[in-house]
Amino acid sequence: MSEEFSIVHYTDLEAEPFTESSIEHWKLTEPLGATEMRVNAVELDPGQALDPHAHERQEEIYVAVTDGQVDIEGDVHEVPEGGVVRIGPDPIRGLCNDTDEIHVWILFGAPPVGTVEDFGEYVMPDE
């Protein structure tokens, strides 16, 4: 049997808060054995939002497990269930939830800048 695959359900793991905010997420990178990207899952309750940020070198892919919303450069975009969003390193981005439903996302970042514990190279916009 090959060791080159893994199957993980995020709810089987312990959630922890993002370093930059108190919103909990599930770190999937290590349990999946991923080495070329970072993978996280996040559930946003109504009214929650991830801190706006960019990355110096990291492209991100966001997969909407449920309907969701992504804020890119101050514009909120509705993303349907199953929708996939690609964001290059420079745009200021964040997930938000201005609805009455929980939003679930799987987030991929490549290259895997920083470490699993320290995402590294975050660029936080001036308030």
Side-chain angles (χ1 to χ4, degrees):
M1 177 177 258
S2 173
E3 299 276 334
E4 288 297 312
F5 77 94
S6 52
I7 300 171
V8 174
H9 196 284
Y10 74 95
T11 59
D12 292 339
L13 305 172
E14 192 168 325
E16 56 188 89
F18 275 110
T19 310
E20 293 74 21
S21 70
S22 61
I23 295 175
E24 291 195 331
H25 70 292
W26 292 264
K27 293 179 178 179
L28 304 176
T29 305
E30 199 169 278
L32 286 168
T35 60
E36 301 300 318
M37 69 184 73
R38 188 175 14 244
V39 186
N40 294 294
V42 65
E43 293 181 355
L44 288 179
D45 290 329
Q48 284 188 316
L50 295 183
D51 291 334
H53 69 281
H55 294 279
E56 291 181 15
R57 296 181 290 150
Q58 188 177 55
E59 176 177 57
E60 290 184 304
I61 301 291
Y62 297 170
V63 179
V65 177
T66 62
D67 290 345
Q69 298 170 315
V70 61
D71 182 328
I72 302 173
E73 296 286 327
D75 293 323
V76 175
H77 302 270
E78 301 292 327
V79 182
E81 177 181 323
V84 180
V85 180
R86 179 215 162 261
I87 308 168
D90 296 328
I92 303 297
R93 83 291 301 270
L95 297 173
C96 57
N97 185 351
D98 297 325
T99 73
D100 295 329
E101 304 292 326
I102 292 174
H103 292 181
V104 180
W105 292 89
I106 305 295
L107 315 174
F108 300 86
V113 176
T115 67
V116 171
E117 289 77 29
D118 174 15
F119 287 178
E121 295 190 357
Y122 262 56
V123 178
M124 305 302 283
D126 295 329
E127 296 286 331

